[in-house]
Each structure stands twice: as C-alpha cells, then as structure tokens.
Amino acid sequence: LRGFATSQERIRVVPLDRSRSPYISSIKNVAAQNHFYTVDGFEEPDAFEKVLSEVEGQALGTIRGFANGEFPPSEENRWAFAHYMALQSVRGPDTRRTTEHLRATMVRMEVGAGGRKNVGSWIRKNLGFDPSPKQEDRVWDEATQPGGPPIGFDNLTHIQNTVETAIELTPYLATRPWTLVRFDRRSLITSDAPISLIRRPGDEPWEEVGYATAWGVTFPLTRKMGLLMSDPMALLQGVEAEDPRVQQFREMVLTGRIEQVQTGTTAMEELFNLHTADSAREYVFHHPEDERY
C-alpha cells in the first residue's frame, strides 16, 4: 500500500458500501484482520504469518527492482513473484467465504439427494459418529435450508486451501507474457483484491473468466506502475498444443525475451483501474490526490 500512499503513509479508503463515506487513513490501519492466520495449538501459532511476511518481503524487493529498471526479472524471481501474486489472489476472507459457500452447497446437495431416511448414514460416513434421532433432525434441517448448512473453515483449513490453490495458479501467471506499464501523468488505484482478470473480447457477460481463460491479468504495483500479464495464445494463433513452437515460446516467456516496458496511456490507466475497482471486495484504495481516477 505504500506505493499508493503519501510520504506520511496516508491513503484514501473508499468503501464499496455506499452508506459509508470515503476517508483518509494510515496504511497500517487498513486491509488488516487480527489473527486471520493464527493456528492455536501449534508451537508457533503465527508461523504462516511469518512465511507470508518473507514472501511479501521478497516481492517488495522485486517491485523495487522493477522501479529501478530491473525488468524483466530473472526466471527464479519471475516464478517467486508469480507465486506471490497467486497467494495474494486467494489468501483473503473473500476466498474463505467462497470456499465455505461451495462446501455448504455440496453438503446441501448430498444430504438432499439421499433423503431424510439416509441422513444417519451420511453423518456416520462424513462426521464419524452415530447420531441420535434428534441429531439427525438437526443435520437434516440445517443441511436442506436455503444456502445449505452454516459451514465455517478454521484457520488451518484456510491456510491449506490457500497454499494448494496458489501452487495451482502460479503457472498461469508465470507463463504469460509480462508488460511493465509506467505512468507519468495518469495514476493507478488498488483494492483489497488487486489481481484482476480481463475477459476475452468475444466473451458474453454471463460467461465465467478464470486464470486459464482470461485475456489478461492486471496487478497495480504502485500508483505509477502496473503489471499486465497478457494472453500467451494470442501470439500462437493456429498453433497446436503439441507443436514444438509452444515449448519454445514458453521458454522465451520465462527467460524474459518477449517482455516489454510500455509508457502508460489514458486507455491503459482506464483498463487497469476499471478492472481493479470491479474486482474489489470491500474497499478501493488510492493516493489522496488520485480521486479523479
């Protein structure tokens, strides 16, 4: 957030909830939730926080390198930074809520499909105990209500899901061509979910967009610098997946031979800021002087 704040580390916070007014705050007081990764019962309850801090420190060094002209990064730094971005995209409370919702929906479908008479066997198989009739009634009522049962993941489950998902997503970021966009007169904003997916031009509004299918991925690094990860297939039109040129292209991407630095335009600023605001969950953040963007 320092890259979007004043020298006194003040930043403007814009809640998406329109009943709350925007305000200026210290960066240390925003986008934080106490004990979100604390795992009680472990020798080091905050071990994952320490690991994240190390990953973030390395990523900050890479961003500073970009600012100082060290672009493209080495292949090692590229994979490390791609992993950081993947973690950034799945580590937050919105991902936990989504995972909990998906699990609740699955339980609702499983229990509902089996019917009331099979609730006991479902409980024995999935929850590991022999239920009383009263417990069966409770599970049935909760599981079949709209939205499914009230499922909440503990911190350890969320950490495991975060790490596994980030490992799967990392290649989809590392193997895209990277463009570093530098802005002079225009400025970028950021949000509590700063990794944004851009749809392909021909996609319908109702179609889902994912890391494998997105035309591009944007990540605002500072108010004057953004990273655009574009569609690798756009440069391989008509080339079959098993064609040797695909592997050659992949090697060129990973070694930075087709990376570029681009001067930011108004259209590019709007591309970044539109998708950054659109992917935000609860808050948009920006430098106090950049409200017009």
Side-chain angles (χ1 to χ4, degrees), residues 157-192:
T157 301
H158 175 63
I159 290 170
Q160 292 170 333
N161 182 67
T162 295
V163 172
E164 292 168 3
T165 307
I167 290 172
E168 293 177 4
L169 292 182
T170 297
Y172 293 104
L173 297 172
T175 58
R176 288 176 174 269
W178 288 9
T179 298
L180 184 67
V181 187
R182 295 180 177 275
F183 293 87
D184 181 16
R185 286 177 289 186
R186 313 295 291 187
S187 293
L188 298 181
I189 64 174
T190 190
S191 78
D192 53 2

PDB file of all heavy atoms in Angstrom, residues 157-192:
ATOM      1  N   THR A 157      -7.438 -24.963   7.974  1.00  0.00           N
ATOM      2  CA  THR A 157      -8.042 -25.408   6.711  1.00  0.00           C
ATOM      3  C   THR A 157      -7.905 -24.324   5.653  1.00  0.00           C
ATOM      4  O   THR A 157      -7.607 -24.608   4.483  1.00  0.00           O
ATOM      5  CB  THR A 157      -9.523 -25.761   6.922  1.00  0.00           C
ATOM      6  OG1 THR A 157      -9.623 -26.789   7.911  1.00  0.00           O
ATOM      7  CG2 THR A 157     -10.163 -26.251   5.636  1.00  0.00           C
ATOM      8  N   HIS A 158      -8.136 -23.071   6.055  1.00  0.00           N
ATOM      9  CA  HIS A 158      -7.994 -21.960   5.105  1.00  0.00           C
ATOM     10  C   HIS A 158      -6.555 -21.847   4.610  1.00  0.00           C
ATOM     11  O   HIS A 158      -6.322 -21.633   3.412  1.00  0.00           O
ATOM     12  CB  HIS A 158      -8.426 -20.650   5.764  1.00  0.00           C
ATOM     13  CG  HIS A 158      -8.200 -19.451   4.894  1.00  0.00           C
ATOM     14  ND1 HIS A 158      -8.830 -19.270   3.685  1.00  0.00           N
ATOM     15  CD2 HIS A 158      -7.381 -18.367   5.053  1.00  0.00           C
ATOM     16  CE1 HIS A 158      -8.432 -18.132   3.143  1.00  0.00           C
ATOM     17  NE2 HIS A 158      -7.557 -17.575   3.953  1.00  0.00           N
ATOM     18  N   ILE A 159      -5.585 -21.986   5.497  1.00  0.00           N
ATOM     19  CA  ILE A 159      -4.177 -21.922   5.099  1.00  0.00           C
ATOM     20  C   ILE A 159      -3.855 -23.032   4.103  1.00  0.00           C
ATOM     21  O   ILE A 159      -3.213 -22.793   3.073  1.00  0.00           O
ATOM     22  CB  ILE A 159      -3.262 -22.017   6.340  1.00  0.00           C
ATOM     23  CG1 ILE A 159      -3.381 -20.737   7.174  1.00  0.00           C
ATOM     24  CG2 ILE A 159      -1.808 -22.259   5.940  1.00  0.00           C
ATOM     25  CD1 ILE A 159      -2.697 -20.836   8.531  1.00  0.00           C
ATOM     26  N   GLN A 160      -4.293 -24.248   4.406  1.00  0.00           N
ATOM     27  CA  GLN A 160      -4.026 -25.374   3.498  1.00  0.00           C
ATOM     28  C   GLN A 160      -4.649 -25.127   2.129  1.00  0.00           C
ATOM     29  O   GLN A 160      -4.006 -25.359   1.099  1.00  0.00           O
ATOM     30  CB  GLN A 160      -4.570 -26.670   4.115  1.00  0.00           C
ATOM     31  CG  GLN A 160      -3.809 -27.119   5.352  1.00  0.00           C
ATOM     32  CD  GLN A 160      -4.501 -28.245   6.091  1.00  0.00           C
ATOM     33  OE1 GLN A 160      -5.733 -28.381   6.024  1.00  0.00           O
ATOM     34  NE2 GLN A 160      -3.735 -29.068   6.795  1.00  0.00           N
ATOM     35  N   ASN A 161      -5.885 -24.635   2.107  1.00  0.00           N
ATOM     36  CA  ASN A 161      -6.552 -24.348   0.847  1.00  0.00           C
ATOM     37  C   ASN A 161      -5.835 -23.230   0.085  1.00  0.00           C
ATOM     38  O   ASN A 161      -5.679 -23.294  -1.142  1.00  0.00           O
ATOM     39  CB  ASN A 161      -8.009 -23.948   1.108  1.00  0.00           C
ATOM     40  CG  ASN A 161      -8.777 -23.682  -0.166  1.00  0.00           C
ATOM     41  OD1 ASN A 161      -9.029 -24.571  -0.959  1.00  0.00           O
ATOM     42  ND2 ASN A 161      -9.165 -22.430  -0.369  1.00  0.00           N
ATOM     43  N   THR A 162      -5.385 -22.211   0.816  1.00  0.00           N
ATOM     44  CA  THR A 162      -4.667 -21.097   0.195  1.00  0.00           C
ATOM     45  C   THR A 162      -3.385 -21.570  -0.484  1.00  0.00           C
ATOM     46  O   THR A 162      -3.106 -21.229  -1.642  1.00  0.00           O
ATOM     47  CB  THR A 162      -4.337 -20.030   1.254  1.00  0.00           C
ATOM     48  OG1 THR A 162      -5.554 -19.460   1.745  1.00  0.00           O
ATOM     49  CG2 THR A 162      -3.462 -18.926   0.676  1.00  0.00           C
ATOM     50  N   VAL A 163      -2.597 -22.357   0.245  1.00  0.00           N
ATOM     51  CA  VAL A 163      -1.310 -22.816  -0.290  1.00  0.00           C
ATOM     52  C   VAL A 163      -1.520 -23.718  -1.510  1.00  0.00           C
ATOM     53  O   VAL A 163      -0.861 -23.552  -2.543  1.00  0.00           O
ATOM     54  CB  VAL A 163      -0.509 -23.548   0.801  1.00  0.00           C
ATOM     55  CG1 VAL A 163       0.733 -24.202   0.214  1.00  0.00           C
ATOM     56  CG2 VAL A 163      -0.120 -22.572   1.903  1.00  0.00           C
ATOM     57  N   GLU A 164      -2.442 -24.668  -1.405  1.00  0.00           N
ATOM     58  CA  GLU A 164      -2.678 -25.595  -2.512  1.00  0.00           C
ATOM     59  C   GLU A 164      -3.182 -24.871  -3.754  1.00  0.00           C
ATOM     60  O   GLU A 164      -2.738 -25.144  -4.874  1.00  0.00           O
ATOM     61  CB  GLU A 164      -3.685 -26.669  -2.075  1.00  0.00           C
ATOM     62  CG  GLU A 164      -3.136 -27.619  -1.022  1.00  0.00           C
ATOM     63  CD  GLU A 164      -4.221 -28.485  -0.389  1.00  0.00           C
ATOM     64  OE1 GLU A 164      -5.392 -28.373  -0.838  1.00  0.00           O
ATOM     65  OE2 GLU A 164      -3.900 -29.260   0.533  1.00  0.00           O
ATOM     66  N   THR A 165      -4.112 -23.930  -3.563  1.00  0.00           N
ATOM     67  CA  THR A 165      -4.664 -23.195  -4.696  1.00  0.00           C
ATOM     68  C   THR A 165      -3.608 -22.299  -5.338  1.00  0.00           C
ATOM     69  O   THR A 165      -3.522 -22.197  -6.571  1.00  0.00           O
ATOM     70  CB  THR A 165      -5.876 -22.355  -4.258  1.00  0.00           C
ATOM     71  OG1 THR A 165      -6.814 -23.187  -3.593  1.00  0.00           O
ATOM     72  CG2 THR A 165      -6.543 -21.697  -5.456  1.00  0.00           C
ATOM     73  N   ALA A 166      -2.785 -21.636  -4.518  1.00  0.00           N
ATOM     74  CA  ALA A 166      -1.747 -20.753  -5.053  1.00  0.00           C
ATOM     75  C   ALA A 166      -0.740 -21.533  -5.890  1.00  0.00           C
ATOM     76  O   ALA A 166      -0.282 -21.056  -6.936  1.00  0.00           O
ATOM     77  CB  ALA A 166      -1.044 -20.024  -3.915  1.00  0.00           C
ATOM     78  N   ILE A 167      -0.386 -22.732  -5.451  1.00  0.00           N
ATOM     79  CA  ILE A 167       0.547 -23.562  -6.220  1.00  0.00           C
ATOM     80  C   ILE A 167      -0.052 -23.890  -7.593  1.00  0.00           C
ATOM     81  O   ILE A 167       0.649 -23.866  -8.614  1.00  0.00           O
ATOM     82  CB  ILE A 167       0.881 -24.848  -5.440  1.00  0.00           C
ATOM     83  CG1 ILE A 167       1.745 -24.509  -4.223  1.00  0.00           C
ATOM     84  CG2 ILE A 167       1.590 -25.865  -6.323  1.00  0.00           C
ATOM     85  CD1 ILE A 167       1.971 -25.678  -3.282  1.00  0.00           C
ATOM     86  N   GLU A 168      -1.349 -24.174  -7.631  1.00  0.00           N
ATOM     87  CA  GLU A 168      -2.003 -24.494  -8.896  1.00  0.00           C
ATOM     88  C   GLU A 168      -2.088 -23.277  -9.819  1.00  0.00           C
ATOM     89  O   GLU A 168      -1.991 -23.410 -11.045  1.00  0.00           O
ATOM     90  CB  GLU A 168      -3.405 -25.036  -8.636  1.00  0.00           C
ATOM     91  CG  GLU A 168      -3.425 -26.395  -7.934  1.00  0.00           C
ATOM     92  CD  GLU A 168      -4.845 -26.862  -7.626  1.00  0.00           C
ATOM     93  OE1 GLU A 168      -5.792 -26.155  -8.044  1.00  0.00           O
ATOM     94  OE2 GLU A 168      -4.998 -27.906  -6.979  1.00  0.00           O
ATOM     95  N   LEU A 169      -2.282 -22.085  -9.245  1.00  0.00           N
ATOM     96  CA  LEU A 169      -2.465 -20.879 -10.059  1.00  0.00           C
ATOM     97  C   LEU A 169      -1.152 -20.286 -10.568  1.00  0.00           C
ATOM     98  O   LEU A 169      -1.131 -19.601 -11.596  1.00  0.00           O
ATOM     99  CB  LEU A 169      -3.212 -19.816  -9.253  1.00  0.00           C
ATOM    100  CG  LEU A 169      -4.668 -20.088  -8.897  1.00  0.00           C
ATOM    101  CD1 LEU A 169      -5.249 -18.912  -8.135  1.00  0.00           C
ATOM    102  CD2 LEU A 169      -5.489 -20.367 -10.148  1.00  0.00           C
ATOM    103  N   THR A 170      -0.054 -20.522  -9.858  1.00  0.00           N
ATOM    104  CA  THR A 170       1.221 -19.874 -10.187  1.00  0.00           C
ATOM    105  C   THR A 170       1.627 -20.020 -11.656  1.00  0.00           C
ATOM    106  O   THR A 170       2.012 -19.029 -12.293  1.00  0.00           O
ATOM    107  CB  THR A 170       2.336 -20.389  -9.259  1.00  0.00           C
ATOM    108  OG1 THR A 170       2.021 -20.021  -7.912  1.00  0.00           O
ATOM    109  CG2 THR A 170       3.685 -19.798  -9.631  1.00  0.00           C
ATOM    110  N   PRO A 171       1.556 -21.216 -12.257  1.00  0.00           N
ATOM    111  CA  PRO A 171       1.971 -21.330 -13.665  1.00  0.00           C
ATOM    112  C   PRO A 171       1.140 -20.482 -14.622  1.00  0.00           C
ATOM    113  O   PRO A 171       1.657 -20.034 -15.656  1.00  0.00           O
ATOM    114  CB  PRO A 171       1.797 -22.827 -13.961  1.00  0.00           C
ATOM    115  CG  PRO A 171       1.861 -23.499 -12.640  1.00  0.00           C
ATOM    116  CD  PRO A 171       1.226 -22.537 -11.677  1.00  0.00           C
ATOM    117  N   TYR A 172      -0.138 -20.256 -14.297  1.00  0.00           N
ATOM    118  CA  TYR A 172      -0.986 -19.452 -15.179  1.00  0.00           C
ATOM    119  C   TYR A 172      -0.568 -17.980 -15.186  1.00  0.00           C
ATOM    120  O   TYR A 172      -0.942 -17.228 -16.098  1.00  0.00           O
ATOM    121  CB  TYR A 172      -2.448 -19.566 -14.749  1.00  0.00           C
ATOM    122  CG  TYR A 172      -3.026 -20.942 -14.953  1.00  0.00           C
ATOM    123  CD1 TYR A 172      -3.223 -21.796 -13.880  1.00  0.00           C
ATOM    124  CD2 TYR A 172      -3.362 -21.395 -16.226  1.00  0.00           C
ATOM    125  CE1 TYR A 172      -3.747 -23.069 -14.061  1.00  0.00           C
ATOM    126  CE2 TYR A 172      -3.882 -22.661 -16.422  1.00  0.00           C
ATOM    127  CZ  TYR A 172      -4.074 -23.495 -15.338  1.00  0.00           C
ATOM    128  OH  TYR A 172      -4.591 -24.760 -15.530  1.00  0.00           O
ATOM    129  N   LEU A 173       0.192 -17.559 -14.183  1.00  0.00           N
ATOM    130  CA  LEU A 173       0.709 -16.191 -14.141  1.00  0.00           C
ATOM    131  C   LEU A 173       2.138 -16.125 -14.662  1.00  0.00           C
ATOM    132  O   LEU A 173       2.494 -15.203 -15.392  1.00  0.00           O
ATOM    133  CB  LEU A 173       0.644 -15.662 -12.699  1.00  0.00           C
ATOM    134  CG  LEU A 173      -0.759 -15.551 -12.100  1.00  0.00           C
ATOM    135  CD1 LEU A 173      -0.681 -15.216 -10.611  1.00  0.00           C
ATOM    136  CD2 LEU A 173      -1.581 -14.503 -12.834  1.00  0.00           C
ATOM    137  N   ALA A 174       2.944 -17.108 -14.302  1.00  0.00           N
ATOM    138  CA  ALA A 174       4.360 -17.084 -14.682  1.00  0.00           C
ATOM    139  C   ALA A 174       4.563 -17.252 -16.186  1.00  0.00           C
ATOM    140  O   ALA A 174       5.505 -16.695 -16.753  1.00  0.00           O
ATOM    141  CB  ALA A 174       5.120 -18.179 -13.931  1.00  0.00           C
ATOM    142  N   THR A 175       3.693 -18.009 -16.850  1.00  0.00           N
ATOM    143  CA  THR A 175       3.909 -18.323 -18.262  1.00  0.00           C
ATOM    144  C   THR A 175       3.196 -17.371 -19.212  1.00  0.00           C
ATOM    145  O   THR A 175       3.190 -17.597 -20.423  1.00  0.00           O
ATOM    146  CB  THR A 175       3.470 -19.768 -18.553  1.00  0.00           C
ATOM    147  OG1 THR A 175       2.093 -19.932 -18.205  1.00  0.00           O
ATOM    148  CG2 THR A 175       4.299 -20.760 -17.748  1.00  0.00           C
ATOM    149  N   ARG A 176       2.606 -16.316 -18.697  1.00  0.00           N
ATOM    150  CA  ARG A 176       2.032 -15.280 -19.563  1.00  0.00           C
ATOM    151  C   ARG A 176       3.109 -14.249 -19.905  1.00  0.00           C
ATOM    152  O   ARG A 176       3.995 -13.985 -19.085  1.00  0.00           O
ATOM    153  CB  ARG A 176       0.874 -14.564 -18.852  1.00  0.00           C
ATOM    154  CG  ARG A 176      -0.395 -15.389 -18.717  1.00  0.00           C
ATOM    155  CD  ARG A 176      -1.453 -14.646 -17.915  1.00  0.00           C
ATOM    156  NE  ARG A 176      -2.717 -15.376 -17.902  1.00  0.00           N
ATOM    157  CZ  ARG A 176      -3.689 -15.197 -18.787  1.00  0.00           C
ATOM    158  NH1 ARG A 176      -3.545 -14.282 -19.745  1.00  0.00           N
ATOM    159  NH2 ARG A 176      -4.804 -15.896 -18.721  1.00  0.00           N
ATOM    160  N   PRO A 177       3.055 -13.637 -21.082  1.00  0.00           N
ATOM    161  CA  PRO A 177       3.974 -12.523 -21.373  1.00  0.00           C
ATOM    162  C   PRO A 177       3.685 -11.343 -20.446  1.00  0.00           C
ATOM    163  O   PRO A 177       2.535 -10.952 -20.291  1.00  0.00           O
ATOM    164  CB  PRO A 177       3.647 -12.172 -22.837  1.00  0.00           C
ATOM    165  CG  PRO A 177       2.983 -13.395 -23.392  1.00  0.00           C
ATOM    166  CD  PRO A 177       2.232 -14.008 -22.252  1.00  0.00           C
ATOM    167  N   TRP A 178       4.726 -10.782 -19.836  1.00  0.00           N
ATOM    168  CA  TRP A 178       4.565  -9.683 -18.896  1.00  0.00           C
ATOM    169  C   TRP A 178       4.932  -8.362 -19.565  1.00  0.00           C
ATOM    170  O   TRP A 178       5.958  -8.256 -20.258  1.00  0.00           O
ATOM    171  CB  TRP A 178       5.474  -9.882 -17.679  1.00  0.00           C
ATOM    172  CG  TRP A 178       5.050 -10.975 -16.751  1.00  0.00           C
ATOM    173  CD1 TRP A 178       4.067 -11.903 -16.968  1.00  0.00           C
ATOM    174  CD2 TRP A 178       5.599 -11.265 -15.465  1.00  0.00           C
ATOM    175  NE1 TRP A 178       3.974 -12.751 -15.900  1.00  0.00           N
ATOM    176  CE2 TRP A 178       4.895 -12.393 -14.964  1.00  0.00           C
ATOM    177  CE3 TRP A 178       6.620 -10.704 -14.700  1.00  0.00           C
ATOM    178  CZ2 TRP A 178       5.187 -12.946 -13.722  1.00  0.00           C
ATOM    179  CZ3 TRP A 178       6.897 -11.258 -13.460  1.00  0.00           C
ATOM    180  CH2 TRP A 178       6.192 -12.373 -12.971  1.00  0.00           C
ATOM    181  N   THR A 179       4.108  -7.356 -19.316  1.00  0.00           N
ATOM    182  CA  THR A 179       4.402  -5.992 -19.744  1.00  0.00           C
ATOM    183  C   THR A 179       4.376  -5.088 -18.519  1.00  0.00           C
ATOM    184  O   THR A 179       3.383  -5.061 -17.788  1.00  0.00           O
ATOM    185  CB  THR A 179       3.376  -5.490 -20.785  1.00  0.00           C
ATOM    186  OG1 THR A 179       3.430  -6.311 -21.947  1.00  0.00           O
ATOM    187  CG2 THR A 179       3.677  -4.041 -21.176  1.00  0.00           C
ATOM    188  N   LEU A 180       5.455  -4.365 -18.292  1.00  0.00           N
ATOM    189  CA  LEU A 180       5.507  -3.394 -17.201  1.00  0.00           C
ATOM    190  C   LEU A 180       5.068  -2.047 -17.760  1.00  0.00           C
ATOM    191  O   LEU A 180       5.681  -1.528 -18.699  1.00  0.00           O
ATOM    192  CB  LEU A 180       6.921  -3.295 -16.632  1.00  0.00           C
ATOM    193  CG  LEU A 180       7.086  -2.381 -15.414  1.00  0.00           C
ATOM    194  CD1 LEU A 180       6.354  -2.966 -14.206  1.00  0.00           C
ATOM    195  CD2 LEU A 180       8.555  -2.178 -15.085  1.00  0.00           C
ATOM    196  N   VAL A 181       4.002  -1.492 -17.218  1.00  0.00           N
ATOM    197  CA  VAL A 181       3.440  -0.236 -17.707  1.00  0.00           C
ATOM    198  C   VAL A 181       3.786   0.872 -16.717  1.00  0.00           C
ATOM    199  O   VAL A 181       3.428   0.799 -15.538  1.00  0.00           O
ATOM    200  CB  VAL A 181       1.914  -0.339 -17.890  1.00  0.00           C
ATOM    201  CG1 VAL A 181       1.377   0.931 -18.557  1.00  0.00           C
ATOM    202  CG2 VAL A 181       1.549  -1.570 -18.726  1.00  0.00           C
ATOM    203  N   ARG A 182       4.488   1.893 -17.203  1.00  0.00           N
ATOM    204  CA  ARG A 182       4.893   3.028 -16.359  1.00  0.00           C
ATOM    205  C   ARG A 182       4.054   4.252 -16.709  1.00  0.00           C
ATOM    206  O   ARG A 182       3.919   4.604 -17.883  1.00  0.00           O
ATOM    207  CB  ARG A 182       6.373   3.353 -16.566  1.00  0.00           C
ATOM    208  CG  ARG A 182       7.319   2.247 -16.117  1.00  0.00           C
ATOM    209  CD  ARG A 182       8.765   2.671 -16.379  1.00  0.00           C
ATOM    210  NE  ARG A 182       9.730   1.692 -15.913  1.00  0.00           N
ATOM    211  CZ  ARG A 182      10.190   1.616 -14.672  1.00  0.00           C
ATOM    212  NH1 ARG A 182       9.759   2.482 -13.764  1.00  0.00           N
ATOM    213  NH2 ARG A 182      11.062   0.696 -14.322  1.00  0.00           N
ATOM    214  N   PHE A 183       3.507   4.895 -15.683  1.00  0.00           N
ATOM    215  CA  PHE A 183       2.645   6.050 -15.890  1.00  0.00           C
ATOM    216  C   PHE A 183       3.349   7.321 -15.429  1.00  0.00           C
ATOM    217  O   PHE A 183       4.056   7.318 -14.419  1.00  0.00           O
ATOM    218  CB  PHE A 183       1.330   5.875 -15.121  1.00  0.00           C
ATOM    219  CG  PHE A 183       0.472   4.761 -15.644  1.00  0.00           C
ATOM    220  CD1 PHE A 183       0.654   3.458 -15.196  1.00  0.00           C
ATOM    221  CD2 PHE A 183      -0.505   5.009 -16.593  1.00  0.00           C
ATOM    222  CE1 PHE A 183      -0.132   2.428 -15.676  1.00  0.00           C
ATOM    223  CE2 PHE A 183      -1.296   3.983 -17.077  1.00  0.00           C
ATOM    224  CZ  PHE A 183      -1.105   2.682 -16.624  1.00  0.00           C
ATOM    225  N   ASP A 184       3.135   8.383 -16.179  1.00  0.00           N
ATOM    226  CA  ASP A 184       3.699   9.678 -15.835  1.00  0.00           C
ATOM    227  C   ASP A 184       2.606  10.602 -15.317  1.00  0.00           C
ATOM    228  O   ASP A 184       2.560  10.951 -14.138  1.00  0.00           O
ATOM    229  CB  ASP A 184       4.383  10.284 -17.060  1.00  0.00           C
ATOM    230  CG  ASP A 184       5.020  11.629 -16.768  1.00  0.00           C
ATOM    231  OD1 ASP A 184       5.196  11.940 -15.568  1.00  0.00           O
ATOM    232  OD2 ASP A 184       5.321  12.372 -17.713  1.00  0.00           O
ATOM    233  N   ARG A 185       1.654  10.948 -16.195  1.00  0.00           N
ATOM    234  CA  ARG A 185       0.600  11.881 -15.790  1.00  0.00           C
ATOM    235  C   ARG A 185      -0.622  11.196 -15.198  1.00  0.00           C
ATOM    236  O   ARG A 185      -1.350  11.789 -14.417  1.00  0.00           O
ATOM    237  CB  ARG A 185       0.180  12.736 -17.003  1.00  0.00           C
ATOM    238  CG  ARG A 185       1.220  13.794 -17.367  1.00  0.00           C
ATOM    239  CD  ARG A 185       0.830  14.572 -18.597  1.00  0.00           C
ATOM    240  NE  ARG A 185       0.939  13.747 -19.814  1.00  0.00           N
ATOM    241  CZ  ARG A 185       0.764  14.211 -21.036  1.00  0.00           C
ATOM    242  NH1 ARG A 185       0.433  15.476 -21.222  1.00  0.00           N
ATOM    243  NH2 ARG A 185       0.908  13.421 -22.082  1.00  0.00           N
ATOM    244  N   ARG A 186      -0.867   9.968 -15.586  1.00  0.00           N
ATOM    245  CA  ARG A 186      -2.006   9.228 -15.043  1.00  0.00           C
ATOM    246  C   ARG A 186      -1.582   8.446 -13.802  1.00  0.00           C
ATOM    247  O   ARG A 186      -0.394   8.305 -13.520  1.00  0.00           O
ATOM    248  CB  ARG A 186      -2.571   8.262 -16.083  1.00  0.00           C
ATOM    249  CG  ARG A 186      -2.780   8.868 -17.449  1.00  0.00           C
ATOM    250  CD  ARG A 186      -3.839   9.951 -17.463  1.00  0.00           C
ATOM    251  NE  ARG A 186      -5.176   9.417 -17.246  1.00  0.00           N
ATOM    252  CZ  ARG A 186      -6.292  10.134 -17.347  1.00  0.00           C
ATOM    253  NH1 ARG A 186      -6.213  11.419 -17.635  1.00  0.00           N
ATOM    254  NH2 ARG A 186      -7.478   9.579 -17.124  1.00  0.00           N
ATOM    255  N   SER A 187      -2.554   7.921 -13.037  1.00  0.00           N
ATOM    256  CA  SER A 187      -2.244   7.178 -11.821  1.00  0.00           C
ATOM    257  C   SER A 187      -3.139   5.955 -11.689  1.00  0.00           C
ATOM    258  O   SER A 187      -4.262   5.931 -12.215  1.00  0.00           O
ATOM    259  CB  SER A 187      -2.414   8.059 -10.580  1.00  0.00           C
ATOM    260  OG  SER A 187      -1.453   9.089 -10.540  1.00  0.00           O
ATOM    261  N   LEU A 188      -2.649   4.963 -10.953  1.00  0.00           N
ATOM    262  CA  LEU A 188      -3.392   3.737 -10.709  1.00  0.00           C
ATOM    263  C   LEU A 188      -3.957   3.728  -9.292  1.00  0.00           C
ATOM    264  O   LEU A 188      -3.398   4.323  -8.384  1.00  0.00           O
ATOM    265  CB  LEU A 188      -2.493   2.515 -10.906  1.00  0.00           C
ATOM    266  CG  LEU A 188      -1.915   2.308 -12.301  1.00  0.00           C
ATOM    267  CD1 LEU A 188      -1.072   1.040 -12.324  1.00  0.00           C
ATOM    268  CD2 LEU A 188      -3.013   2.245 -13.354  1.00  0.00           C
ATOM    269  N   ILE A 189      -5.050   3.007  -9.139  1.00  0.00           N
ATOM    270  CA  ILE A 189      -5.640   2.748  -7.835  1.00  0.00           C
ATOM    271  C   ILE A 189      -5.375   1.279  -7.493  1.00  0.00           C
ATOM    272  O   ILE A 189      -4.889   0.514  -8.318  1.00  0.00           O
ATOM    273  CB  ILE A 189      -7.153   3.027  -7.838  1.00  0.00           C
ATOM    274  CG1 ILE A 189      -7.870   2.048  -8.795  1.00  0.00           C
ATOM    275  CG2 ILE A 189      -7.429   4.471  -8.226  1.00  0.00           C
ATOM    276  CD1 ILE A 189      -9.390   2.138  -8.766  1.00  0.00           C
ATOM    277  N   THR A 190      -5.692   0.872  -6.273  1.00  0.00           N
ATOM    278  CA  THR A 190      -5.598  -0.535  -5.914  1.00  0.00           C
ATOM    279  C   THR A 190      -6.816  -0.899  -5.063  1.00  0.00           C
ATOM    280  O   THR A 190      -7.696  -0.067  -4.837  1.00  0.00           O
ATOM    281  CB  THR A 190      -4.276  -0.845  -5.175  1.00  0.00           C
ATOM    282  OG1 THR A 190      -4.122  -2.266  -5.062  1.00  0.00           O
ATOM    283  CG2 THR A 190      -4.232  -0.199  -3.803  1.00  0.00           C
ATOM    284  N   SER A 191      -6.881  -2.150  -4.606  1.00  0.00           N
ATOM    285  CA  SER A 191      -8.046  -2.588  -3.837  1.00  0.00           C
ATOM    286  C   SER A 191      -7.645  -3.724  -2.920  1.00  0.00           C
ATOM    287  O   SER A 191      -6.483  -4.136  -2.868  1.00  0.00           O
ATOM    288  CB  SER A 191      -9.162  -3.048  -4.788  1.00  0.00           C
ATOM    289  OG  SER A 191      -8.895  -4.355  -5.277  1.00  0.00           O
ATOM    290  N   ASP A 192      -8.633  -4.262  -2.194  1.00  0.00           N
ATOM    291  CA  ASP A 192      -8.373  -5.396  -1.310  1.00  0.00           C
ATOM    292  C   ASP A 192      -8.298  -6.717  -2.080  1.00  0.00           C
ATOM    293  O   ASP A 192      -8.081  -7.773  -1.488  1.00  0.00           O
ATOM    294  CB  ASP A 192      -9.436  -5.476  -0.218  1.00  0.00           C
ATOM    295  CG  ASP A 192     -10.846  -5.484  -0.772  1.00  0.00           C
ATOM    296  OD1 ASP A 192     -11.015  -5.462  -2.010  1.00  0.00           O
ATOM    297  OD2 ASP A 192     -11.802  -5.481   0.029  1.00  0.00           O
TER     298      ASP A 192
END
